[in-house]
Amino acid sequence: MKIFFAGASLFFSLTLFSHFPGTYRSSVTASQGYLFIANQVEHTALVVNLDSRQVVAKAGVDINGHEVAVTTDGRFGYVPIYGDSGVGRPGTDGSTIHVVDLRTARAAKIIDLGKPVRPHCAKFGPDGMLYVSAELSNAIYVVDPASGKIVGEVPTGAAESHMFVLSPDGHRAYTSNVGIGSVSVLDLQKRALLTVIPVAKKVQRISISPDGRFVFTHDQDAPRIAVIDTATNKVDHWITLPASVYSSQPTPDGKSLIANAPSGKLFVIDLSSEKVTATYSVPAAIGAIAIDAAGAHAYVSCPQAGTIEILDLLEKKLEAPIVLTKGVDGLAWFPAVS
């Protein structure tokens, strides 16, 4: 069945699969957990059971949700609605965040940000607040998930602050500013801009080491990754690669960096030697990477192919992909919940 939730100028529908309640609620012992995935083309958000590799819930969202976030307890999924274009391109400008109750498979609410800001990346901080990039405002918004209200705003000092990462203690945020090729460093406690770090002509995506010592962003004009020392807030050095990469994610133990090249390669980089130790062929894509808490699997979205590629990090091999539909993009891993 479908449940429709009226909004000011949109609707929110949630398709409940007949097998969802049993599969989901009895899966507390599942070993691999779930993925929450945004699909730009279908205008949906999906929950995938990683044991069965099946979609167990599908929520309709507005145009378009690019990225997702999941609460630490795995209860709610958040989908910022960016709009129908890419970063820096003309198109519609989103102003809302859709919230899905992942435990009951029901739409929870729509958070209205008050004006069109193209909200994109979203992350929960240790303080329980939801941090969301407000691209057209050159800022990160601080949203109280309980009230759905904006309780703070941190300027990035740069245009196209598209993605960001948080330090492990939640005191700092680092944004990748795509078109001007820089990284902004934000003090989230003082809600102030600390500095803007020049990196390259153009960058994409950003990641941070588990200990918070280094931030990684990706030069889009050369096959290299910038390594930013968070103690000095400067580019410390570069990691040279066989091809330019779009996104990366370190493993939870901090030993490796998984990086996705739009040319159709997935690299495993040893962070002690900063050498590529393995290369895998995947569909050519500009997608996202999520790694489970155990560091056992990396999941790579391939929007053009409509697949989620799965790299077994322990066995060091690609598994059969999860075949979905074109447009799958931002994704977040979360564990099974009771």
Side-chain angles (χ1 to χ4, degrees):
M1 64 178 176
K2 286 190 177 181
I3 304 173
F4 295 93
F5 294 78
S9 60
L10 54 91
F11 68 88
F12 193 108
S13 68
L14 182 64
T15 300
L16 302 184
F17 288 71
S18 60
H19 64 281
F20 179 85
T23 302
Y24 191 84
R25 293 174 183 169
S26 65
S27 61
V28 66
T29 59
S31 60
Q32 295 189 53
Y34 295 83
L35 290 177
F36 186 50
I37 307 168
N39 187 308
Q40 290 194 42
V41 174
E42 284 191 347
H43 314 140
T44 57
L46 316 171
V47 176
V48 172
N49 182 315
L50 290 171
D51 281 351
S52 66
R53 305 291 169 88
Q54 297 294 314
V55 174
V56 293
K58 181 184 291 187
V61 297
D62 203 6
I63 303 172
N64 283 339
H66 293 196
E67 301 296 322
V68 298
V70 175
T71 52
T72 55
D73 61 3
R75 178 68 185 273
F76 295 100
Y78 287 68
V79 187
I81 303 302
Y82 184 79
D84 64 2
S85 64
V87 59
R89 298 176 182 176
T92 61
D93 305 324
S95 61
T96 60
I97 301 171
H98 287 220
V99 186
V100 180
D101 187 325
L102 300 176
R103 187 175 297 176
T104 63
R106 295 181 183 276
K109 60 184 174 182
I110 296 175
I111 296 173
D112 189 344
L113 299 176
K115 63 179 181 179
V117 294
R118 291 192 176 187
H120 188 256
C121 182
K123 295 182 182 296
F124 282 95
D127 58 1
M129 294 294 105
L130 179 69
Y131 294 86
V132 183
S133 57
E135 192 173 298
L136 296 184
S137 289
N138 298 342
I140 287 181
Y141 283 174
V142 186
V143 178
D144 179 352
S147 66
K149 303 297 185 182
I150 299 171
V151 295
E153 181 175 340
V154 190
T156 66
E160 298 181 8
S161 299
H162 200 56
M163 299 291 291
F164 67 90
V165 290
L166 301 179
S167 61
D169 61 10
H171 293 173
R172 298 283 186 271
Y174 303 85
T175 70
S176 59
N177 310 317
V178 176
I180 61 173
S182 65
V183 168
S184 296
V185 184
L186 313 183
D187 185 323
L188 296 181
Q189 292 182 308
K190 296 181 179 179
R191 295 178 181 170
L193 170 66
L194 295 179
T195 189
V196 178
I197 306 168
V199 177
K201 184 178 179 181
K202 183 178 182 179
V203 297
Q204 260 294 356
R205 303 275 165 164
I206 193 166
S207 61
I208 188 170
S209 61
D211 60 8
R213 290 183 58 197
F214 299 104
V215 165
F216 310 97
T217 192
H218 321 101
D219 190 337
Q220 296 304 283
D221 295 312
R224 59 181 188 168
I225 294 176
V227 182
I228 295 171
D229 187 329
T230 58
T232 63
N233 287 331
K234 294 181 180 179
V235 176
D236 187 75
H237 61 281
W238 298 84
I239 299 174
T240 302
L241 299 173
S244 296
V245 298
Y246 183 80
S247 57
S248 70
Q249 187 66 37
T251 52
D253 61 10
K255 293 182 178 179
S256 301
L257 187 69
I258 313 302
N260 178 36
S263 57
K265 298 296 180 183
L266 189 64
F267 300 121
V268 178
I269 303 162
D270 182 286
L271 285 176
S272 60
S273 66
E274 297 191 337
K275 302 295 183 183
V276 175
T277 58
T279 301
Y280 302 90
S281 295
V282 295
I286 50 173
I289 302 171
I291 300 177
D292 60 31
H297 292 90
Y299 302 95
V300 184
S301 63
C302 296
Q304 294 89 331
T307 62
I308 305 296
E309 302 298 312
I310 304 173
L311 175 59
D312 186 324
L313 295 169
L314 303 181
E315 297 295 330
K316 300 180 180 179
K317 65 180 182 180
L318 284 174
E319 297 183 1
I322 300 171
V323 179
L324 300 171
T325 57
K326 290 183 178 181
V328 290
D329 193 4
L331 71 170
W333 177 88
F334 65 101
V337 293
S338 58

